[in-house]
Amino acid sequence: MPLELAFELMMMLTSGCALLVSAWLFWRARSRRSMKALAGFGVMMALWCAGHVAVFYGLDTLGMALILANPLMPTFFLDFAIGFVNQGPGQRPWLSRLARYRGLLYGAAVLVSIITLWQGGGGIIAFGPFEHYFVFQGSGWFNIGYTIFIGVLAHALLLWGFVHHKGNRRRSIAAMFAAGAWGLLLATSFIFPSLGLHWYPWPMLLLPSYVLLLVYGVVRYQMLEINAWANRALLWILMTGLLLGLMALFSAMAGRLGMQALAAVPQWQLWLYSLLLLMLALALYRPVSALVERLVYPGSRLDEQLLETWLAQLRDASGWNALAQTAERLLARQMGQAVTIRLLTQTPFYEPGPGLELWCLHHAQGWQFRLKGFDDVTPGMRLTAEVFGSLLATRCGLLERSLQLAEAERKRVSEQHLVELGGLSAAMAHELRNPLNIISMATAGLDAERKNMIQDQLKRADRLIADLLTYSGQLQIQARAVPLEPLLKSLQPQFDWQRVQFDYVLPANYTLWADAYRLQQVLTNLIDNALAFVRNQPQGHIRLEAGDAPGVLWLHNNGPAIEADMQGRLFRPFVTRRQGGSGLGLAIVQRIMEAHGGHIRHRNDAGWPVTFEFSFPEEPAS
């Protein structure tokens, strides 16, 4: 191939690549001013290369005008650098002011271009294989000097941004510097004939790579889709190089293998045929791939938009039930039949039902999915379920971590609230007990009946203060094995049973792993609360018995059943049905049980009007 033709083709290729990349940038970054400036840089690069082509065809005036307009190229790049660096939280006022005066920079570039063109800043010479080649003359050196100055200024601004930015923006700037060094190396040979060095500009044959590398280095950290495009482009470039090498080797070996007719074919024709076949394969790859996928996986219609829809709707589910319902609806809509979704923290012991089921199981290594009942479905349906199961398992892991963080934050706020409440309660107790003591001392001279009435009310107030301190204070649990029967016998004399029957049904030597003092508080509060309701009942009865699991106790009484609207609020502070009660008894019991790692709940299915079930943790193995 003639060297002049090779240079001309490379200039055309660079111009075409620059225009295509600029159009893509302008379309993809409509709202980003800096990317529009980079697109302008690409357009000017295309016009600069077109100027060389115009010179080759004898259009000297047009060609020189386009080449001498090269100050606009670094001006567009400087505009891009200003906008790219001055983004994010680190914006600088001086850069914002510079951006407002960008019009002056463009005006100066246009003025330099016009003056150098008017004063004959370039000429056309012939050397080597070139009949027409542009060289700088006279004022043209000012043109190239101004161009270099603006380019250096733009890269100095990028260097400043590299120092002050982090993350992807800093990586983009580093990629721009690497591409700029490559572009400088390639463009240096363009100016040699202007210096009297009539060397063929070999490096400029690689100029198309500069535009692509520069734009790719900028946007690869900003737009993820460009990386997928670059991956495909690099693959096809490598395939092209490999194919051309194989064809060259085959052409050289054809004569020795007895294929004289093939050996007589010019090598460039073999390369051309190979490139045409490769381009045809590239054009047919997507439709053939889609056809093969439909044949292998009939009924499967998975694309990026569908996956994004699935991810968005699964992300909106804020709880396990909502996530399972959303997943069932999405998968059933895609497959055209009902699918049961089960989100399980451990492997179940039951067998799957007759329909289609997708299980998401929690293992030590994370969430994984399993398909049940999919043996007879088409491969396309199974592929759809597998892709959906993978997305659902990922979402289960994210939701689990989100709920754990929310629970940790709730506990932190609750503990902080209790600390504040504890301090407030201690101060109130101190302030209240002082006047109560004074009132108690003032009753010394009163008659016995009035004195007893006042003392009873003072004891009630003191008990309320003690309950408030217990509820709001920090609970320190020192658990050990506590025999329950001796503790019950020691508590019984403390209560005014009147005619209420109390008994317990416990295994021999029954023990609980608990704090003895706090266990006594739990039993005292629960029995005292039950007595308040059954003491006036005919044949009042309270029974404590062991539950159906170790550490579980049931406390029954035959008092009036608890209303349905009260059952959900029983353990809240200051909620009570008891006349004269503080409303803290059950709330204190719940706090003590939670401090042990246990729980308490109300039950109405144990055969008694009222039953409280409270459980303590099992005694750890020695």
Tab-separated table of all heavy atoms in Angstrom, residues 4-27:
chain	number	residue	atom	x	y	z
A	4	GLU	N	1.586	7.350	1.117
A	4	GLU	CA	0.692	8.511	1.127
A	4	GLU	C	-0.759	8.060	1.365
A	4	GLU	O	-1.509	8.686	2.124
A	4	GLU	CB	0.806	9.276	-0.187
A	4	GLU	CG	-0.050	10.550	-0.187
A	4	GLU	CD	0.046	11.294	-1.512
A	4	GLU	OE1	0.507	10.698	-2.500
A	4	GLU	OE2	-0.360	12.469	-1.540
A	5	LEU	N	-1.141	6.927	0.734
A	5	LEU	CA	-2.500	6.409	0.909
A	5	LEU	C	-2.717	5.937	2.347
A	5	LEU	O	-3.789	6.148	2.920
A	5	LEU	CB	-2.745	5.269	-0.074
A	5	LEU	CG	-4.124	4.597	0.003
A	5	LEU	CD1	-5.239	5.618	-0.257
A	5	LEU	CD2	-4.214	3.444	-0.994
A	6	ALA	N	-1.688	5.323	2.911
A	6	ALA	CA	-1.804	4.871	4.305
A	6	ALA	C	-2.034	6.055	5.238
A	6	ALA	O	-2.893	6.014	6.142
A	6	ALA	CB	-0.547	4.105	4.710
A	7	PHE	N	-1.264	7.145	5.033
A	7	PHE	CA	-1.440	8.333	5.862
A	7	PHE	C	-2.838	8.919	5.678
A	7	PHE	O	-3.502	9.313	6.654
A	7	PHE	CB	-0.370	9.364	5.490
A	7	PHE	CG	-0.323	10.539	6.426
A	7	PHE	CD1	0.429	10.501	7.583
A	7	PHE	CD2	-1.041	11.700	6.137
A	7	PHE	CE1	0.462	11.583	8.451
A	7	PHE	CE2	-1.018	12.789	6.997
A	7	PHE	CZ	-0.254	12.726	8.152
A	8	GLU	N	-3.298	8.977	4.430
A	8	GLU	CA	-4.627	9.522	4.152
A	8	GLU	C	-5.725	8.685	4.823
A	8	GLU	O	-6.661	9.232	5.422
A	8	GLU	CB	-4.846	9.558	2.638
A	8	GLU	CG	-6.201	10.132	2.228
A	8	GLU	CD	-6.382	10.108	0.725
A	8	GLU	OE1	-5.375	9.908	0.000
A	8	GLU	OE2	-7.529	10.287	0.281
A	9	LEU	N	-5.587	7.355	4.737
A	9	LEU	CA	-6.599	6.482	5.360
A	9	LEU	C	-6.613	6.658	6.872
A	9	LEU	O	-7.689	6.680	7.501
A	9	LEU	CB	-6.313	5.028	4.993
A	9	LEU	CG	-6.606	4.620	3.548
A	9	LEU	CD1	-6.213	3.174	3.320
A	9	LEU	CD2	-8.087	4.832	3.231
A	10	MET	N	-5.446	6.812	7.496
A	10	MET	CA	-5.394	6.993	8.940
A	10	MET	C	-6.022	8.333	9.357
A	10	MET	O	-6.681	8.418	10.398
A	10	MET	CB	-3.952	6.906	9.437
A	10	MET	CG	-3.366	5.514	9.394
A	10	MET	SD	-4.313	4.295	10.373
A	10	MET	CE	-5.197	3.425	9.074
A	11	MET	N	-5.811	9.368	8.553
A	11	MET	CA	-6.439	10.643	8.866
A	11	MET	C	-7.969	10.536	8.764
A	11	MET	O	-8.715	11.057	9.596
A	11	MET	CB	-5.942	11.740	7.918
A	11	MET	CG	-4.484	12.119	8.110
A	11	MET	SD	-4.139	12.840	9.748
A	11	MET	CE	-3.454	11.400	10.592
A	12	MET	N	-8.441	9.826	7.707
A	12	MET	CA	-9.886	9.627	7.562
A	12	MET	C	-10.440	8.801	8.719
A	12	MET	O	-11.505	9.104	9.261
A	12	MET	CB	-10.183	8.939	6.232
A	12	MET	CG	-9.974	9.801	5.000
A	12	MET	SD	-10.408	8.904	3.495
A	12	MET	CE	-10.182	10.180	2.259
A	13	LEU	N	-9.711	7.746	9.095
A	13	LEU	CA	-10.172	6.895	10.193
A	13	LEU	C	-10.214	7.664	11.505
A	13	LEU	O	-11.164	7.543	12.289
A	13	LEU	CB	-9.253	5.680	10.308
A	13	LEU	CG	-9.631	4.651	11.381
A	13	LEU	CD1	-11.031	4.090	11.116
A	13	LEU	CD2	-8.607	3.521	11.426
A	14	THR	N	-9.165	8.478	11.748
A	14	THR	CA	-9.160	9.296	12.971
A	14	THR	C	-10.329	10.261	12.976
A	14	THR	O	-11.003	10.443	14.007
A	14	THR	CB	-7.845	10.080	13.079
A	14	THR	OG1	-6.748	9.167	13.023
A	14	THR	CG2	-7.787	10.866	14.380
A	15	SER	N	-10.596	10.901	11.830
A	15	SER	CA	-11.700	11.846	11.741
A	15	SER	C	-13.035	11.148	11.993
A	15	SER	O	-13.876	11.645	12.753
A	15	SER	CB	-11.708	12.516	10.371
A	15	SER	OG	-12.744	13.461	10.275
A	16	GLY	N	-13.226	9.964	11.388
A	16	GLY	CA	-14.484	9.238	11.592
A	16	GLY	C	-14.659	8.787	13.029
A	16	GLY	O	-15.743	8.926	13.610
A	17	CYS	N	-13.582	8.250	13.631
A	17	CYS	CA	-13.662	7.811	15.028
A	17	CYS	C	-13.982	8.982	15.955
A	17	CYS	O	-14.806	8.870	16.881
A	17	CYS	CB	-12.347	7.161	15.445
A	17	CYS	SG	-12.047	5.555	14.696
A	18	ALA	N	-13.323	10.116	15.716
A	18	ALA	CA	-13.552	11.284	16.572
A	18	ALA	C	-14.995	11.769	16.479
A	18	ALA	O	-15.612	12.128	17.488
A	18	ALA	CB	-12.579	12.397	16.187
A	19	LEU	N	-15.553	11.795	15.244
A	19	LEU	CA	-16.945	12.236	15.083
A	19	LEU	C	-17.920	11.277	15.761
A	19	LEU	O	-18.872	11.701	16.433
A	19	LEU	CB	-17.275	12.373	13.597
A	19	LEU	CG	-16.692	13.597	12.884
A	19	LEU	CD1	-17.031	13.544	11.405
A	19	LEU	CD2	-17.232	14.891	13.510
A	20	LEU	N	-17.702	9.974	15.605
A	20	LEU	CA	-18.599	9.000	16.223
A	20	LEU	C	-18.538	9.081	17.748
A	20	LEU	O	-19.575	9.080	18.435
A	20	LEU	CB	-18.230	7.581	15.760
A	20	LEU	CG	-18.570	7.239	14.308
A	20	LEU	CD1	-18.045	5.861	13.953
A	20	LEU	CD2	-20.082	7.303	14.088
A	21	VAL	N	-17.326	9.155	18.279
A	21	VAL	CA	-17.176	9.239	19.732
A	21	VAL	C	-17.790	10.532	20.266
A	21	VAL	O	-18.446	10.548	21.325
A	21	VAL	CB	-15.691	9.130	20.119
A	21	VAL	CG1	-15.484	9.483	21.586
A	21	VAL	CG2	-15.180	7.719	19.856
A	22	SER	N	-17.600	11.634	19.547
A	22	SER	CA	-18.162	12.918	19.987
A	22	SER	C	-19.688	12.878	19.986
A	22	SER	O	-20.336	13.377	20.922
A	22	SER	CB	-17.668	14.045	19.094
A	22	SER	OG	-16.269	14.158	19.171
A	23	ALA	N	-20.268	12.289	18.944
A	23	ALA	CA	-21.729	12.182	18.897
A	23	ALA	C	-22.239	11.333	20.038
A	23	ALA	O	-23.250	11.656	20.678
A	23	ALA	CB	-22.158	11.599	17.549
A	24	TRP	N	-21.548	10.231	20.322
A	24	TRP	CA	-21.966	9.361	21.434
A	24	TRP	C	-21.863	10.091	22.763
A	24	TRP	O	-22.762	10.009	23.606
A	24	TRP	CB	-21.099	8.108	21.439
A	24	TRP	CG	-21.473	7.133	22.525
A	24	TRP	CD1	-22.444	6.178	22.489
A	24	TRP	CD2	-20.876	7.053	23.821
A	24	TRP	NE1	-22.494	5.503	23.680
A	24	TRP	CE2	-21.540	6.014	24.516
A	24	TRP	CE3	-19.856	7.741	24.465
A	24	TRP	CZ2	-21.205	5.657	25.813
A	24	TRP	CZ3	-19.524	7.384	25.759
A	24	TRP	CH2	-20.190	6.355	26.421
A	25	LEU	N	-20.747	10.823	22.952
A	25	LEU	CA	-20.569	11.570	24.202
A	25	LEU	C	-21.659	12.623	24.369
A	25	LEU	O	-22.227	12.798	25.452
A	25	LEU	CB	-19.203	12.249	24.207
A	25	LEU	CG	-18.037	11.501	24.841
A	25	LEU	CD1	-16.767	12.324	24.704
A	25	LEU	CD2	-18.318	11.207	26.294
A	26	PHE	N	-21.942	13.351	23.304
A	26	PHE	CA	-22.946	14.417	23.385
A	26	PHE	C	-24.326	13.843	23.698
A	26	PHE	O	-25.107	14.431	24.447
A	26	PHE	CB	-22.985	15.192	22.066
A	26	PHE	CG	-23.721	16.496	22.157
A	26	PHE	CD1	-23.083	17.631	22.621
A	26	PHE	CD2	-25.059	16.586	21.805
A	26	PHE	CE1	-23.754	18.842	22.720
A	26	PHE	CE2	-25.743	17.783	21.903
A	26	PHE	CZ	-25.083	18.916	22.365
A	27	TRP	N	-24.617	12.665	23.158
A	27	TRP	CA	-25.931	12.047	23.400
A	27	TRP	C	-26.032	11.474	24.808
A	27	TRP	O	-27.051	11.604	25.471
A	27	TRP	CB	-26.164	10.943	22.370
A	27	TRP	CG	-27.418	10.163	22.626
A	27	TRP	CD1	-28.698	10.616	22.540
A	27	TRP	CD2	-27.504	8.803	23.028
A	27	TRP	NE1	-29.582	9.621	22.853
A	27	TRP	CE2	-28.878	8.486	23.157
A	27	TRP	CE3	-26.566	7.806	23.282
A	27	TRP	CZ2	-29.313	7.228	23.544
A	27	TRP	CZ3	-27.005	6.551	23.654
A	27	TRP	CH2	-28.354	6.277	23.785
